[in-house]
Amino acid sequence: MAGRCRRAALAVLIAVVAGSCGSGAGDDVQATEIEFELLNGDTAAVGDFLDRPVVLNFFASWCTPCITEMPALESISQQRPDLAFIGLAYNDTPTRAREIVADTGVSYTTGVDPDSAIGNAYGILGMPTTLFIAPDGEVVYQHTGGLTADQITEHINAHLTP
């Protein structure tokens, strides 16, 4: 009987702990509302850019495919000022993110998601991950893995262009 009570108490404890886990930003907070630090020291949230469609790219300094695709994202961002491009260094430091941005020549908005709160809220599972987000905040397409400029353009045309 005592063993059964201990197992039941353990199950309740696990359920309580699991239920309290989340993005680190509170379960009632939408992913678009979680603030992040921009590499220039300001803060922003994805929702700040939703006056137009958003291409949100999660990258990391330790991720070779992330670094490889950044010039393609930069090129498309220059061609498509009607879209907001955001790069977030996932579980990385601002110093490493700045180095990667400088090395790749990226000029679109970049910031850091050092505790992975935003990535977790969007449910990303691998690196790099690129989200295509409609102006209403809905993620209309998610791609995990590196992208070429042609693939980025195809996804924009298929998911973000009316």
Side-chain angles (χ1 to χ4, degrees):
M1 179 77 163
R4 203 177 301 155
C5 287
R6 274 191 224 121
R7 281 191 296 264
L10 181 59
V12 168
L13 177 62
I14 290 170
V16 168
V17 169
S20 68
C21 293
S23 68
D27 292 333
D28 60 338
V29 175
Q30 297 293 317
T32 57
E33 299 172 353
I34 302 171
E35 289 193 341
F36 56 91
E37 181 183 342
L38 297 170
L39 295 184
N40 68 8
D42 292 337
T43 58
V46 173
D48 297 339
F49 300 88
L50 289 176
D51 58 330
R52 54 194 166 151
V54 172
V55 177
L56 174 59
N57 176 258
F58 289 91
F59 69 95
S61 61
W62 44 264
C63 169
T64 301
C66 299
I67 297 164
T68 301
E69 76 178 355
M70 290 176 82
L73 286 160
E74 173 63 20
S75 174
I76 303 299
S77 75
Q78 294 299 315
Q79 298 168 29
R80 296 296 305 263
D82 57 317
L83 305 174
F85 282 74
I86 305 168
L88 284 180
Y90 180 77
N91 200 23
D92 218 331
T93 67
T95 300
R96 289 295 299 142
R98 280 187 200 92
E99 290 170 1
I100 297 306
V101 166
D103 290 348
T104 58
V106 165
S107 64
Y108 54 82
T109 302
T110 51
V112 290
D113 184 18
D115 60 0
S116 309
I118 300 168
N120 290 343
Y122 279 115
I124 68 166
L125 299 174
M127 297 298 291
T129 294
T130 304
L131 306 177
F132 297 82
I133 305 172
D136 66 0
E138 178 188 359
V139 176
V140 294
Y141 185 72
Q142 177 173 328
H143 180 90
T144 301
L147 290 167
T148 65
D150 287 343
Q151 291 171 317
I152 296 165
T153 299
E154 287 174 17
H155 292 311
I156 288 169
N157 290 339
H159 305 289
L160 296 179
T161 304

